[in-house]
Amino acid sequence: MARRRSRPHLNLLPAKISTTQNLEEKDILITIASIESRKELHISKEEIMEPQPECCIYRVPKDLRNINKAAYTPKVISVGPLHYGRKDLADMEKQKIRFKREFSKRISVEKWQELITFMEKHEQRIRNCYEEKPEFQKIEFMTMIVYDAIFIIELFLRDFYRIQCEFLLFKPLLRAAIRLDLQLLENQLPYFLLEGLYRLAFPEPKTKAERYPPFFLLACSFFQDGMFNGIPEEVEVKHFTDLRRYILTRIYPKQSFGFPGNLPCAHRLKESGVKFKSAATHCLLDLKVEKKMLRIPCFNIFKIPIWKVCELQIPRVQIVDGTECLIRNAMALEQCHYPLQTHVCNYIDLLDVLIDSEEDVNCLVEAGVISNHMGNNKIVADIINKLSLQISGSPSCYFEIVKGLKSHNDNSWNHAKATLRSVYFSNLWRGTATFAAIMLLFLTLIQTICSILQVL
């Protein structure tokens, strides 16, 4: 007789406890208060989680930052709370102390107290300017703001008056790094704070000899480059990144807006007869398309226009080491603060369409549209192609321009004319030879006809 196997002992206690727990949970009354306590335990009911109307300084969105982190990260100096306390920027904190001491020689103790009172009065407004609320105690927050703001004002004054002994300004690499850092979106103080402190410290004097220049003039002088030419004396900006965007967008084509479709790249457009030209304007975004009558070189002595060409006029842009950084931060500001006015983003999107490869950059460099200080033209193509990644655009002011260029490119007759011009009339000698050959053919034809008529 087979032995009966003993079954393993089943411990039913956990099941009983589980059942008991389930019964107890069923007896609990679920309320909105109990649900809130689970989710909102560490969040105060008084905490304001939506951006305030004054908000204008943002963390760069992660998708943008991951493409090129260095373009959004200060390298030598932190300004404001978002990068405050970084150990790799500690050396410049000593310079802030030095500049504060130098600034103290310009004003009295009583004036210092007026500045502190002004900042204390506007403390909440300053905090509201940041999307990511600064979690500093009042004294720590005020201390940070004082040293950062006074550093900027003293730096601008020393640059404007060309203080010869100021090593921060006369080391080219260091000065360039500071200029870039002060234009990063995450590295800002509100402009109203800087201008308010400056006006309070240096009110309008009775004599011109004692007068300090306007703060806006100091800022433009410090960030000076070709883009600042022709700007008005005073504009309303939110911070230095916004000032850079204003410089880029102060004049832009106010045409019909829309979402442009696909457009061929620059060298393809050139094959259809589109001519690229550097436009004489201070606004980088002021692109235009004009129809012009073309004179073939060998006919220039007769001043006779032969056919129309489509000319795309693009303001000259210099590509230097800091160009990508400045444009990226202006684009990030638009993504965060001007989502319906993404003019810089739309401009870069159009450049990205025109530039697919090194060959396209060559076309624009030859036309004087791009001034490349980066060396290889392929580097410029790579920079432009990456600028539009993770960027959302609004209806573009270049809609009509793209529409006109597409229409021109789709016309096969334009391609034929462009080929004729490039092959047979590309320069004076080739054009003259072509004209002579045509005339010889024409005369030969006439002679042949005359000979036939004589025989008949």
Side-chain angles (χ1 to χ4, degrees):
M1 182 177 178
R3 291 185 62 183
R4 185 177 180 180
R5 292 184 180 180
S6 60
R7 294 184 178 180
H9 178 66
L10 297 178
N11 190 350
L12 301 179
L13 185 58
K16 291 181 179 179
I17 292 177
S18 176
T19 303
T20 304
Q21 289 176 343
N22 291 337
L23 290 174
E24 290 177 353
E25 289 184 0
K26 288 180 180 179
D27 293 337
I28 295 175
L29 178 63
I30 303 298
T31 64
I32 185 61
S34 62
I35 291 176
E36 287 176 346
S37 66
R38 288 263 184 175
K39 186 71 174 178
E40 304 176 23
L41 182 63
H42 302 290
I43 300 177
S44 170
K45 291 184 178 180
E46 290 75 25
E47 183 176 346
I48 301 174
M49 290 179 283
E50 67 273 11
Q52 297 302 293
E54 301 92 343
C55 179
C56 59
I57 302 172
Y58 305 83
R59 286 279 189 190
V60 175
K62 290 182 180 179
D63 289 342
L64 277 181
R65 170 174 281 280
N66 289 337
I67 295 172
N68 187 348
K69 295 180 180 180
Y72 309 103
T73 306
K75 296 175 177 60
V76 297
I77 182 171
S78 70
V79 174
L82 298 185
H83 289 273
Y84 178 72
R86 277 178 46 187
K87 293 182 179 180
D88 57 325
L89 306 179
D91 287 345
M92 197 57 67
E93 296 301 312
K94 298 177 183 178
Q95 301 306 320
K96 292 178 184 179
I97 295 173
R98 179 171 71 91
F99 271 34
K100 195 276 291 182
R101 292 173 179 173
E102 294 296 323
F103 185 81
S104 296
K105 299 176 183 179
R106 302 179 186 272
I107 62 174
S108 64
V109 175
E110 292 75 18
K111 183 63 69 174
W112 258 120
Q113 191 55 49
E114 290 182 32
L115 300 184
I116 300 301
T117 302
F118 174 84
M119 284 185 280
E120 189 174 13
K121 177 182 176 182
H122 293 90
E123 179 195 356
Q124 191 56 52
R125 181 183 175 188
I126 298 170
R127 289 178 181 267
N128 289 344
C129 288
Y130 296 90
E131 182 187 38
E132 184 178 300
K133 297 297 183 293
E135 297 181 356
F136 297 99
Q137 296 296 326
K138 182 173 183 176
I139 182 63
E140 185 180 7
F141 184 74
M142 294 289 290
T143 301
M144 174 190 65
I145 295 299
V146 166
Y147 280 90
D148 287 353
I150 297 305
F151 174 85
I152 291 174
I153 294 173
E154 181 67 20
L155 179 69
F156 286 5
L157 286 170
R158 287 172 170 264
D159 175 74
F160 188 82
Y161 290 110
R162 299 294 188 265
I163 305 297
Q164 296 296 324
C165 61
E166 185 48 61
F167 73 93
L168 293 183
L169 299 173
F170 287 89
K171 288 184 177 180
L173 293 179
L174 182 57
R175 186 180 190 276
I178 293 174
R179 285 183 61 191
L180 280 179
D181 282 356
L182 293 183
Q183 296 179 80
L184 304 182
L185 179 57
E186 296 181 354
N187 210 38
Q188 295 300 313
L189 290 181
Y191 185 84
F192 86 86
L193 168 68
L194 295 168
E195 187 178 42
L197 290 174
Y198 182 80
R199 287 182 175 179
L200 194 60
F202 310 112
E204 192 70 19
K206 296 180 180 179
T207 63
K208 290 185 178 180
E210 300 174 348
R211 183 176 301 170
Y212 277 84
F215 182 74
F216 185 78
L217 179 60
L218 292 181
C220 290
S221 176
F222 182 76
F223 296 121
Q224 182 66 45
D225 57 35
M227 293 182 184
F228 282 84
N229 296 331
I231 61 174
E233 293 184 359
E234 287 289 339
V235 297
E236 184 178 346
V237 295
K238 303 182 184 305
H239 42 69
F240 294 143
T241 310
D242 196 40
L243 172 61
R244 172 59 63 178
R245 180 183 179 272
Y246 170 80
I247 297 302
L248 293 171
T249 65
R250 65 187 186 275
I251 303 172
Y252 62 91
K254 299 176 178 64
Q255 302 174 4
S256 60
F257 287 74
F259 292 97
N262 295 327
L263 181 69
C265 57
H267 81 273
R268 295 294 183 191
L269 288 175
K270 186 177 180 180
E271 290 175 356
S272 71
V274 174
K275 184 179 179 182
F276 298 97
K277 182 181 178 181
S278 175
T281 176
H282 295 309
C283 180
L284 192 64
L285 276 62
D286 193 13
L287 279 69
K288 295 179 182 178
V289 170
E290 290 188 5
K291 296 286 186 178
K292 290 192 173 183
M293 297 302 297
L294 177 69
R295 293 183 176 91
I296 294 179
C298 63
F299 295 143
N300 277 350
I301 57 175
F302 304 110
K303 305 297 183 183
I304 302 174
I306 303 302
W307 58 59
K308 282 185 178 182
V309 296
C310 180
E311 184 176 87
L312 177 57
Q313 300 175 1
I314 307 176
R316 183 180 179 86
V317 56
Q318 289 190 359
I319 308 295
V320 296
D321 287 337
T323 302
E324 179 183 2
C325 179
L326 295 176
I327 292 179
R328 278 193 176 278
N329 280 270
M331 294 173 70
L333 175 62
E334 287 191 339
Q335 294 294 293
C336 297
H337 196 76
Y338 300 104
L340 300 180
Q341 300 174 25
T342 56
H343 305 315
V344 178
C345 296
N346 291 336
Y347 165 79
I348 293 299
D349 184 60
L350 179 56
L351 277 191
D352 186 28
V353 171
L354 290 175
I355 297 175
D356 271 348
S357 64
E358 183 179 358
E359 187 177 2
D360 301 311
V361 179
N362 293 339
C363 291
L364 299 180
V365 169
E366 290 171 3
V369 172
I370 292 179
S371 176
N372 182 13
H373 297 266
M374 302 291 289
N376 195 325
N377 284 344
K378 187 178 185 304
I379 297 175
V380 176
D382 292 339
I383 290 174
I384 298 298
N385 293 157
K386 291 179 180 178
L387 280 173
S388 291
L389 296 177
Q390 301 297 332
I391 292 294
S392 299
S394 60
S396 175
C397 55
Y398 303 114
F399 175 72
E400 289 295 333
I401 291 178
V402 173
K403 184 178 178 182
L405 292 173
K406 283 191 64 179
S407 176
H408 179 92
N409 182 76
D410 292 342
N411 190 328
S412 57
W413 173 235
N414 290 328
H415 286 266
K417 289 190 297 182
T419 301
L420 179 65
R421 186 182 69 187
S422 63
V423 174
Y424 297 104
F425 296 98
S426 58
N427 56 57
L428 176 62
W429 302 111
R430 182 171 292 183
T432 303
T434 301
F435 178 69
I438 293 174
M439 292 300 297
L440 180 61
L441 180 63
F442 180 69
L443 292 175
T444 303
L445 179 62
I446 292 177
Q447 184 179 11
T448 302
I449 294 173
C450 292
S451 299
I452 294 174
L453 291 176
Q454 287 178 358
V455 172
L456 295 176

